[in-house]
Amino acid sequence: MRELPLTIENVVEHSSPQVGLAVLGHPINHSISPILHHAALENLASTEPSFADWTYERFDVKPENLEVALNRLSKSGYLGLNLTIPHKVEVLGLLNGLDREASLIGAVNTLIFRDGEWYGQNTDGYGLQKALENELNCNLAGSQILILGAGGAARAAAVQSLLAGARNVHIHNRSFDRLNDLLNLLSNEFDGGQMSGSTPDDVRCEDFIGQNWIIINATSLGLNAMDSSPLFMSCSEFGKETVVYDMIYNPPQTSLLTEAEKAGYKCANGLSMLIYQAAKSLEIWTDRAIAAEAMFEAANNHFRA
Ligand code: NDP
């Protein structure tokens, strides 16, 4: 049986050689991060026994308690934290230091405590890029990227695509206002010529027909098993070398992935992104190369159970 999440009232002191890691969110029951990190830490400990003293816990932290939680955890021997809903953006106001990706993405999913303060990073874009490379054998560099959605995950995908040198990034979103906000933000940092956007009202399907795209679903459409596909045209009309990545991993099969399979495209769900972003966080904290295999095995066992 899985352990219940902790709250900041029951933070346990970690004193050397113990090292604390944790994920903070609200709600946090759904998070499989402890499963992934325990598997990777166990793997590390098999060659470096000191990692047996590292723990990774889940804390249920309400938004109004985030600052108190960060203070308490840093004083209690915690070195690294992951942040999930609703803290990824709110934490920005509490940090002095941020890496470039996190600043461009406008959100933090990884904190490391160093020189007496929490420093923010974002490994989501990295996780996506690695997932595309390793699972679908495709590169963002030089490719045409079609991102469905304009929320936080879409912003991470767009930033990573642009940083990696994508030829063209097109963002398609249900609502105009969110799309417009994201395009404006991105055009302040990147060459606007590489970017375009559409909504269901103004999308020009002829711009996509017969062309090869990396299609990334970053909407929440698909989280319910009965959800329709977020695509604005028949999936089979894209070029034959199109690949489809759905950031959703639970359920593992979405309407979009079913359509992509029928069209004969390479495709994958978002589990690999979740794992590669987690592996990158652990690399930041441990300063060791993390092989993702142990995390994949643990995640697959968890979802099969
Ligand atoms: P946000 O709430 O920030 O954004 C949600 C997006 O989905 C918006 O663009 C919204 O459009 C769109 N959307 C919601 N409902 C519909 C609908 N019925 N039809 C069309 N579009 C819709 O969420 P996030 O960006 O944080 O997350 C998006 C998805 O990515 C989630 O499914 C999440 O689970 C997944 N994700 C996966 C990760 C992984 O590691 N695999 C990491 C992070 C996220 P509008 O602006 O019009 O409301």
Side-chain angles (χ1 to χ4, degrees), residues 1-49:
M1 202 169 73
R2 292 180 68 190
E3 284 173 24
L4 287 172
L6 301 168
T7 62
I8 42 172
E9 285 75 38
N10 40 41
V11 173
V12 173
E13 198 75 27
H14 287 64
S15 46
S16 181
Q18 295 172 322
V19 177
L21 305 172
V23 57
L24 314 188
H26 181 71
I28 195 67
N29 280 343
H30 65 283
S31 173
I32 67 161
S33 294
I35 293 171
L36 304 180
H37 287 280
H38 284 153
L41 285 168
E42 200 175 308
N43 196 41
L44 277 179
S46 65
T47 49
E48 285 187 73

Side-chain angles (χ1 to χ4, degrees), residues 85 88 124 149-154 173-175 178 217-221 223 247-249 270-271 273-274 277:
I85 293 169
K88 284 179 162 189
D124 281 337
N173 195 49
R174 175 178 64 175
S175 68
R178 213 152 176 200
N217 179 31
T219 74
S220 33
L221 197 57
L223 283 174
M247 286 196 189
I248 292 171
Y249 56 87
L271 184 62
M273 174 178 172
L274 179 79
Q277 64 77 27

Side-chain angles (χ1 to χ4, degrees), residues 84-85 88 109 124 127-128 148-156 171-179 200 217-223 227-230 245-250 269-277:
T84 184
I85 293 169
K88 284 179 162 189
N109 75 337
D124 281 337
L128 172 66
L148 306 171
R155 182 165 166 183
I171 302 171
H172 179 84
N173 195 49
R174 175 178 64 175
S175 68
F176 172 79
D177 287 349
R178 213 152 176 200
L179 170 70
N217 179 31
T219 74
S220 33
L221 197 57
L223 283 174
D227 281 350
S228 57
S229 157
Y245 192 80
D246 198 328
M247 286 196 189
I248 292 171
Y249 56 87
N250 193 13
N269 73 28
L271 184 62
S272 44
M273 174 178 172
L274 179 79
I275 287 175
Y276 288 117
Q277 64 77 27

Side-chain angles (χ1 to χ4, degrees), residues 123-140 160 164 245 272-280 283 290-292 296:
T123 65
D124 281 337
Y126 168 91
L128 172 66
Q129 183 169 3
K130 197 85 179 157
L132 291 170
E133 286 168 6
N134 287 7
E135 277 225 282
L136 299 175
N137 199 22
C138 68
N139 284 312
L140 291 170
Q160 195 69 26
Y245 192 80
S272 44
M273 174 178 172
L274 179 79
I275 287 175
Y276 288 117
Q277 64 77 27
K280 183 68 181 175
E283 286 189 356
I290 302 295
F296 272 106

